[in-house]
Amino acid sequence: MEKDPKGHRSEEYEKPRVIEEGIWVAGEALKKAPRLRGIPTGVEGLDELFFHSEIQDGKVVKKPLGGIPEYAVVNLTGVSDTGKSLMVEQYTVKQAERGDVVAFITVESPAPFVTMSLKERATAMGIDFNEIENRIILIDAASHTSLRDNIPNLLSTLAFAIKNYKVRHTVIDSVTGLYEAKEMLARTVVRQLFNFMKKWYQTAIFVSQKRSGHEELSAEAAGGYAVSHIVDCTMVLAKELIMTKTQSNLFKRPIGDIVRLFRIDGCRLCGHDTKTHYLEITETGLVKIGEPLTAG
């Protein structure tokens, strides 16, 4: 029987060991890394906000990536009525139009209702839903507590869908619903989901809800910073009610108007625009990223 570090005898104490398979030489790890390329999002004004760097004639040059990084796990966060679900629906429709299969995990609304919304988004984008409907696979965690409240069940179901339908993109709306009323587990849940997406080479977007008391343009979601600290990229959506003359001058909108805002909070896989932009929800229900917010 070995002694633990304090000198007590314990059958449970295990001597620390070297995990050699956990050590990588950077050159060897790079051979296993995927090529950096952009995935068009279907959201006007968004794809141009991501870029990568190249060295030309000894100078660093920014090159547009043309979308979010492939295989990224993106956190899309904001309070209610900022356009989060609209944005991921546009993303889903766009990928299906491109010929890719998308798994849409719906945690808030039953699958038939989400499908109605996806069809509306496709129509507004000028896409015939009948031509893409078989490339969208819905996993209904809203109607099945055995999926919503059991992460191993959910991941096994998603793995089945990936293998059988050749899924390349996963959307979860919303990830917050998977740890509702148990936010102490938020980091554990998000880490499990993140690791799964990496294992299966998914480009993924997790919608996360912000509490109304949170600062509008912060990346914090319900469950604290668990989501944004783990994922590859965070995009923040916000809205402001114009109540003062100062706000009216800043946003160039009359008192009483609502202005929506968008910001990429961070992306560790590539470069990105760091400005706060206006965000518009059109009459047909599409999200558009507008000009950056400027003073004066």
Side-chain angles (χ1 to χ4, degrees):
M1 185 183 298
E2 295 188 21
K3 293 183 179 181
D4 64 22
K6 294 183 179 180
H8 302 128
R9 293 185 179 278
S10 170
E11 295 181 359
E12 298 180 1
Y13 175 69
E14 180 183 348
K15 184 179 180 180
R17 57 194 176 92
V18 175
I19 311 298
E20 290 190 47
E21 58 268 29
I23 302 173
W24 285 81
V25 175
E28 291 300 314
L30 190 59
K31 293 176 184 177
K32 300 285 187 179
R35 181 171 63 91
L36 179 62
R37 71 185 189 104
I39 300 296
T41 61
V43 177
E44 183 179 334
L46 178 57
D47 296 350
E48 299 79 16
L49 302 184
F50 294 90
F51 61 86
H52 65 102
S53 300
E54 293 181 1
I55 298 178
Q56 295 182 355
D57 300 324
K59 296 181 180 180
V60 178
V61 178
K62 290 196 307 183
K63 296 283 187 179
L65 193 62
I68 63 173
E70 188 175 26
Y71 307 124
V73 178
V74 177
N75 170 37
L76 183 64
T77 187
V79 295
S80 63
D81 193 33
T82 48
K84 300 184 300 299
S85 292
L86 298 179
M87 189 176 285
V88 292
E89 287 170 6
Q90 286 172 236
Y91 179 84
T92 299
V93 168
K94 181 64 177 179
Q95 305 323 308
E97 184 203 26
R98 295 175 62 238
D100 286 353
V101 180
V102 185
F104 195 112
I105 301 174
T106 173
V107 184
E108 311 298 341
S109 182
F113 294 92
V114 174
T115 307
M116 287 173 56
S117 189
L118 286 165
K119 185 177 180 180
E120 281 296 307
R121 228 56 57 218
T123 301
M125 294 167 71
I127 297 168
D128 185 350
F129 191 72
N130 293 327
E131 295 182 359
I132 65 169
E133 59 184 9
N134 291 329
R135 291 194 287 273
I136 300 174
I137 310 301
L138 289 107
I139 298 177
D140 194 344
S143 303
H144 298 274
T145 55
S146 56
L147 292 172
R148 187 176 63 249
D149 296 340
N150 188 307
I151 300 301
N153 282 357
L154 180 64
L155 295 183
S156 292
T157 303
L158 179 55
F160 177 87
I162 291 172
K163 288 185 288 186
N164 284 274
Y165 296 100
K166 305 296 186 291
V167 171
R168 297 189 61 188
H169 308 263
T170 297
V171 169
I172 304 180
D173 188 8
S174 68
V175 71
T176 318
L178 299 176
Y179 50 81
E180 195 172 28
K182 46 186 177 182
E183 291 184 5
M184 291 295 291
L185 297 176
R187 192 170 183 84
T188 299
V189 169
V190 173
R191 174 64 69 185
Q192 286 179 286
L193 295 169
F194 177 85
N195 289 341
F196 180 94
M197 301 304 160
K198 293 301 182 183
K199 174 184 176 182
W200 289 93
Y201 285 86
Q202 296 293 292
T203 305
I205 302 181
F206 297 168
V207 174
S208 61
Q209 310 290 343
K210 290 168 67 69
R211 298 191 195 94
S212 59
H214 286 157
E215 179 193 349
E216 287 282 357
L217 278 169
S218 78
E220 186 177 8
Y225 284 98
V227 178
S228 58
H229 280 185
I230 294 172
V231 297
D232 297 309
C233 174
T234 293
M235 299 188 291
V236 182
L237 281 62
K239 62 181 179 181
E240 293 278 351
L241 175 62
I242 309 302
M243 295 292 289
T244 68
K245 207 163 188 178
T246 301
Q247 288 177 309
S248 181
N249 291 335
L250 173 63
F251 296 117
K252 304 178 183 67
R253 303 286 175 86
I255 291 176
D257 266 16
I258 288 179
V259 62
R260 290 182 173 83
L261 303 169
F262 170 86
R263 191 186 78 250
I264 301 171
D265 194 66
C267 184
R268 60 188 174 210
L269 297 182
C270 68
H272 64 88
D273 183 283
T274 58
K275 303 180 186 72
T276 297
H277 289 252
Y278 288 105
L279 181 147
E280 177 189 354
I281 299 178
T282 69
E283 291 182 349
T284 56
L286 295 180
V287 173
K288 296 168 60 176
I289 308 300
E291 296 297 317
L293 180 64
T294 55

